[in-house]
Amino acid sequence: MASLLAYFGRTIVPLHAWSFRLPDRPRLPLPKDPRLPRRLPGLPPPRIVWLPMSDGRPVRLTHYAPPAGVMARPDPVLALHGYSASGTTFAHEALPEGGLAGALCRRGHHVWVADLRSSAGLESSREPWTFEMIGCQDIPMAVAYVHGQHSGQVHVVAHCMGAAMLSLGLFRRWPGDPAFTPHAAACRAMPERMGRLVLYQVGPAVTMSPANLARAYVFQWLKNYPGFGAISFRPSAVPGTAEDMLDRLLCAVPYPRSDFFRENPLWPPWKRTPWVAQRHRMDALYGITFEVQGMSDQVLERIDEFFGPSHMATTAQVIWFARSRLITDMQGRGAFMTPDRMSALRHRPVLSLHAERNGLVDPDTQRTLTELLRQAGAAVRAVSLPGGHQDSLIGRDAARVFAEIAEFLETPADNPAAPHPPTESSHEHAGV
């Protein structure tokens, strides 16, 4: 037995001496409401609005107005977050310019950041929801409220699963559908109230990455087992042995060599990396969520404020997305994602953004999505961004993406998708 243990020691220690290192624990405690947008430097205090839904689950809207001395634009912007995320994707003091909300406000835009019922900043995120319920209730009511507060149409910026939910609200109609009925009037009027549309990573069509396609089939099997419920990426305050073992095993998953040295810095020797466990847990569920080299230390150390609890039953709906390569409802019905049913986008300016090294969604998504939108008659501009899935919005170079979105929103109406020369941060793939 001693010889056997010595053999394993000689084999494992040189190869995995650091692989099973227990990640540093997150700093405690978190600030109050850590995953909800709050005041941004250089901007007036935001206005908070709670919109009641028919089932009692409210939607939170955070309104950022342009600073004093900046002429306000008539068309407001509504930002929709993805799944397991919240409004801090667009508004947080640790982000460049305070996030997309801060960048657009300084250019005169009124920005409304939505926290839908699936927002990681709300307790309702721990409950099972369908994407069509959020798309046919929360989003239309948010668009209706913002439209009523301003004179112009509402430009919408939708990230990841926020774009999937928006697509379900725009194009899905089933007679007597309980997800559609409570706010049917707002849902029907939503296309008329909307202006320009920015689809970030996902849209009516989506091609999952090979790793996430495999995860989809695993989830199809796991969802039938008990305990398939709410999850949290943040380690417990007093983690048990099983939780520690999980984090050790996830640290053994191969990552680029540069990531290893960012997670295990050699200098200074006392530097802690309290974000490693959360990152690996998210990646185990979704794939590579962000490229660590594109993130600042400030954002990484506050990673808890950008990602949070979710429910596995809702995540399991992506099984159907992966299998059909379309956005579907919980029953897997996606036949409504056709050019005929997408007539609401006819002549509408649409900006499709996709990260080149996206670990969640395959880059082929942009080609498929662009073809579908053009068949529907939309005026599409497709732009490919360097970096990963989330870091292009919350990473070091996010300001370049903000400028891309602002340029699209401010293009004159008579030429909504005019080509423009590529910058360092983007490569034009398509015009009108």
Side-chain angles (χ1 to χ4, degrees), residues 194-235:
M194 287 174 51
R196 294 169 181 253
L197 180 60
V198 179
L199 298 175
Y200 195 91
Q201 314 281 14
V202 177
V206 60
T207 303
M208 306 305 292
S209 66
N212 275 345
L213 184 60
R215 285 184 179 88
Y217 285 98
V218 172
F219 276 120
Q220 187 176 18
W221 175 65
L222 289 177
K223 69 177 183 178
N224 299 312
Y225 285 78
F228 197 76
I231 58 169
S232 177
F233 302 118
R234 180 182 174 86

Side-chain angles (χ1 to χ4, degrees), residues 111-168:
V111 181
W112 295 77
V113 178
D115 277 275
L116 309 171
R117 71 181 69 194
S118 60
S119 166
L122 304 177
E123 283 299 317
S124 54
S125 64
R126 300 177 182 271
E127 301 176 37
W129 306 108
T130 64
F131 286 156
E132 59 265 25
M133 182 179 294
I134 301 170
C136 294
Q137 297 184 29
D138 298 15
I139 295 177
M141 292 300 290
V143 171
Y145 183 86
V146 174
H147 183 265
Q149 300 295 306
H150 301 273
S151 59
Q153 290 182 306
V154 181
H155 300 320
V156 178
V157 179
H159 177 247
C160 193
M161 289 303 133
M165 299 171 191
L166 174 66
S167 299
L168 288 164

Side-chain angles (χ1 to χ4, degrees), residues 42-397:
L43 295 181
R47 181 163 66 100
I48 309 300
V49 177
W50 291 92
L51 299 181
M53 296 293 108
S54 59
D55 57 1
R57 296 300 183 186
V59 170
R60 185 184 192 265
L61 295 178
T62 307
H63 174 214
Y64 293 96
V70 177
M71 181 177 295
R73 298 175 183 271
D75 298 326
V77 178
L78 175 65
L80 306 175
H81 59 80
Y83 198 59
S84 294
S86 69
T88 55
T89 299
F90 305 104
H92 195 282
E93 61 269 20
L95 299 179
E97 302 185 46
L100 179 63
L104 293 181
C105 277
R106 292 181 180 88
R107 299 175 68 124
H109 295 273
H110 282 272
V111 181
W112 295 77
V113 178
D115 277 275
L116 309 171
R117 71 181 69 194
S118 60
S119 166
L122 304 177
E123 283 299 317
S124 54
S125 64
R126 300 177 182 271
E127 301 176 37
W129 306 108
T130 64
F131 286 156
E132 59 265 25
M133 182 179 294
I134 301 170
C136 294
Q137 297 184 29
D138 298 15
I139 295 177
M141 292 300 290
V143 171
Y145 183 86
V146 174
H147 183 265
Q149 300 295 306
H150 301 273
S151 59
Q153 290 182 306
V154 181
H155 300 320
V156 178
V157 179
H159 177 247
C160 193
M161 289 303 133
M165 299 171 191
L166 174 66
S167 299
L168 288 164
L170 282 172
F171 312 125
R172 182 182 186 273
R173 301 287 188 276
W174 296 108
D177 185 349
F180 174 72
T181 303
H183 302 287
C187 202
R188 291 192 185 96
M190 182 164 60
E192 301 173 1
R193 293 167 172 162
M194 287 174 51
R196 294 169 181 253
L197 180 60
V198 179
L199 298 175
Y200 195 91
Q201 314 281 14
V202 177
V206 60
T207 303
M208 306 305 292
S209 66
N212 275 345
L213 184 60
R215 285 184 179 88
Y217 285 98
V218 172
F219 276 120
Q220 187 176 18
W221 175 65
L222 289 177
K223 69 177 183 178
N224 299 312
Y225 285 78
F228 197 76
I231 58 169
S232 177
F233 302 118
R234 180 182 174 86
S236 305
V238 184
T241 303
E243 192 172 356
D244 281 347
M245 182 58 69
L246 171 65
D247 288 332
R248 289 182 186 273
L249 290 173
L250 291 179
C251 279
V253 175
Y255 277 89
R257 188 173 181 83
S258 57
D259 286 20
F260 173 83
F261 289 109
R262 187 76 183 275
E263 294 181 358
N264 304 277
L266 298 177
W267 191 263
W270 56 83
K271 184 175 182 180
R272 298 177 67 241
T273 53
W275 46 270
V276 172
Q278 292 97 311
R279 185 214 181 183
H280 286 187
R281 292 185 183 193
M282 286 189 297
D283 291 354
L285 184 62
Y286 297 126
I288 304 298
T289 312
F290 55 80
E291 289 192 334
V292 70
Q293 298 305 319
M295 304 284 279
S296 67
D297 286 342
Q298 187 179 12
V299 170
L300 287 175
E301 289 177 3
R302 302 176 69 175
I303 202 69
D304 278 326
E305 300 177 33
F306 295 93
F307 305 99
S310 60
H311 199 282
M312 297 292 283
T314 305
T315 306
Q317 188 167 347
V318 181
I319 294 169
W320 298 110
F321 299 177
R323 298 178 72 174
S324 64
R325 301 181 69 176
L326 290 170
I327 301 303
T328 74
D329 60 16
M330 184 57 87
Q331 286 71 44
R333 296 177 295 194
F336 46 84
M337 294 298 177
T338 63
D340 293 342
R341 296 289 295 273
M342 294 167 60
S343 59
L345 295 182
R346 192 172 305 280
H347 307 304
R348 186 181 303 277
V350 178
L351 174 63
S352 171
L353 298 174
H354 196 90
E356 295 174 344
R357 297 186 295 276
N358 195 324
L360 280 73
V361 182
D362 192 275
D364 185 63
T365 295
Q366 190 171 56
R367 179 188 61 80
T368 305
L369 177 60
T370 300
E371 291 178 359
L372 181 61
L373 293 174
R374 285 179 176 166
Q375 291 173 17
V380 186
R381 176 189 293 173
V383 177
S384 182
L385 305 169
H389 179 79
Q390 194 81 18
D391 44 295
S392 48
L393 267 182
I394 64 174
R396 289 193 182 102
D397 297 329

Side-chain angles (χ1 to χ4, degrees), residues 396-415:
R396 289 193 182 102
D397 297 329
R400 298 181 180 182
V401 182
F402 303 160
E404 189 81 49
I405 294 174
E407 178 186 348
F408 169 75
L409 297 179
E410 296 164 9
T411 302
D414 58 346
N415 194 13

